[in-house]
Every structure is written in C-alpha cells, then in structure tokens.
Amino acid sequence: GENVEQHPSTLSVQEGDSAVIKCTYSDSASNYFPWYKQELGKRPQLIIDIRSNVGEKKDQRIAVTLNKTAKHFSLHITETQPEDSAVYFCAASRAGGYQKVTFGIGTKLQVIP
Amino acid sequence: EAGVTQFPSHSVIEKGQTVTLRCDPISGHDNLYWYRRVMGKEIKFLLHFVKESKQDESGMPNNRFLAERTGGTYSTLKVQPAELEDSGVYFCASSELAGVYNEQFFGPGTRLTVL
C-alpha cells in the first residue's frame, strides 16, 4: 500500500518568513496530492492540491511542487501570517471515484508574530 | 449548504463499554470515509463506503469495529468493546462519486477517550 512520509513534524517561523513542508510517497501509481490545513479545534480543510501532470501550482501565498521521479512533493507558504498557524497534512491517492487517501503525519506550523 | 456533521463531538467511556459514532455526509455525496487520528500520528484510513456498500475496509483495526451505512445516507461506526488504544479523533469525510479528482470534505471529528 501507499506510504506517505512528512517532515518536519513541527515548524516555527517568524511572521513574514517562508515555511516549507516536505513529503515523500511510495506508490508510483499515486497521481493526486492534496494538502489539508487543520486549525486548532476545527476540521481539516483542503487548501491546495496538485495532479501528477503538473510540476507546480500556486494560489496566492501558497504553492506546491511535485517531483514524480523522486516521488516527493512540497508545500511552500510565503510571507507567513499568524493565521497560517495550524497543522498541515500532505496526502497521496490515485485519482478516481474510489480514492483512498493516505495522509502524512502532519506538520504543526507556528507563526510567531 | 451544510457540511459533513458528526455526533457526538466528544465521548468519554470506560474500557469495555460500547460507543457509536455517527456521520452525516454532504447531501448527494456517495463516497463516505472514516479516518482516525491518534495524537501525533497520521490521519489513518479506516474504511470507505460507496453508497451503502463497503468499498474498502482494509484499515479497520479489528472486529471490535463495525461500520454501517444503511440506505446510503448517514453512517455509524460502533466500537464494542472499547479498548484504551481506541482513543483518538475519528473523522468522517465525504465526496462525490462522479469525476476524477474529488475533494474529500471532512467533518469536525469525534474525540473518543477510553479510560
């Protein structure tokens, strides 16, 4: 089955700095990589995703990159703000109606004002 | 539109007791998933329903866990009898069936504590 490794498990950055979270996956058939953000006491919510036919995707201050050959993908947050503080989960799955999503361990990001 | 809802939000029970968790997916979502997160670990897949059928239950820990989705609407996850290691946050998620890349929408989770 799929295995997703995520690091670091915790990350503290100063407000305005960048944060990078890295993940690797094992199943070469995985082709859909969503990222979820879980704020304290709230539900995980999808913030961005990338499909295997692209190498990078941006949405304002967040971007994801994917290296299919190396089987790793990363989340980049620029100009971090206190409201970015949360636990971020990377995930991998095969696309299709019967997706089984495998999550990483989560990264607790703290943005220090 | 209402999102995925779960009940209860918290449950504290003693070892050996039974607990039933409920999930109401987004209306029209045929895919329903159960996950569990033990503190500090990954969100781990438990099982997947397509409508009322179990598509994949490979993540269910053991036969103390029973999931149902009668009628293909809401789902229940029963733990009987509960053990200490069953403690964690149980998430439910739902998604549409049609399409290739379907976002899974999560519920707020049920925090289960087994004493």
Side-chain angles (χ1 to χ4, degrees), chain B residues 2 7 17 19 24 36 38 45-46 52 62-63 66 84-85 87 91 94-96 103 106-107 114-115:
Chain B
F7 181 83
Q17 290 186 320
V19 63
D24 286 79
R36 177 174 72 180
V38 173
F45 169 85
L46 297 179
E52 68 276 8
N62 50 61
N63 59 8
L66 175 65
L84 299 179
E85 63 265 24
S87 296
F91 290 105
S94 72
S95 70
E96 295 178 342
E103 176 181 353
F106 277 75
V114 182
L115 303 176

Side-chain angles (χ1 to χ4, degrees), chain A residues 31-32 36 38 42-46 51-53 87 89 94-106, chain B residues 3-4 31 33 35 37 40-43 45 48 50 55-56 58 91 97 99-104 106-108:
Chain A
N31 54 8
Y32 176 61
Y36 283 81
Q38 186 181 17
K42 297 190 177 180
R43 68 191 70 198
Q45 288 193 300
L46 181 74
R51 304 167 191 179
S52 62
N53 58 345
V87 178
F89 294 94
R94 300 183 186 187
Y98 301 151
Q99 300 161 338
K100 173 182 175 179
V101 179
T102 302
F103 287 86
I105 198 170
Chain B
V4 177
N31 284 320
Y33 305 83
Y35 295 92
R37 188 180 191 219
K41 300 270 180 91
E42 75 275 22
I43 299 174
F45 169 85
H48 169 206
V50 176
Q55 176 68 23
D56 182 349
S58 61
F91 290 105
L97 183 58
V100 179
Y101 302 100
N102 295 330
E103 176 181 353
Q104 291 191 18
F106 277 75

Side-chain angles (χ1 to χ4, degrees), chain B residues 6 18 45 52 70 76 88-89 108:
Chain B
Q6 292 185 245
T18 297
F45 169 85
E52 68 276 8
T70 307
T76 59
V89 180

Side-chain angles (χ1 to χ4, degrees), chain A residues 39-57:
Chain A
E39 296 178 54
L40 189 62
K42 297 190 177 180
R43 68 191 70 198
Q45 288 193 300
L46 181 74
I47 54 170
I48 195 167
D49 56 22
I50 190 166
R51 304 167 191 179
S52 62
N53 58 345
V54 298
E56 183 175 1
K57 181 177 179 180

Side-chain angles (χ1 to χ4, degrees), chain A residues 5-12 19-23 35-38 75 77 84-90 104-110, chain B residues 37 40-41:
Chain A
E5 302 284 340
Q6 179 174 354
H7 61 95
S9 56
T10 60
L11 179 61
S12 289
V20 180
I21 301 170
K22 298 183 179 182
C23 292
W35 286 85
Y36 283 81
K37 174 184 180 182
Q38 186 181 17
L75 177 71
I77 307 174
D84 295 329
S85 296
V87 178
Y88 291 80
F89 294 94
C90 63
I105 198 170
T107 296
K108 185 175 181 180
L109 172 65
Q110 182 184 19
Chain B
R37 188 180 191 219
K41 300 270 180 91

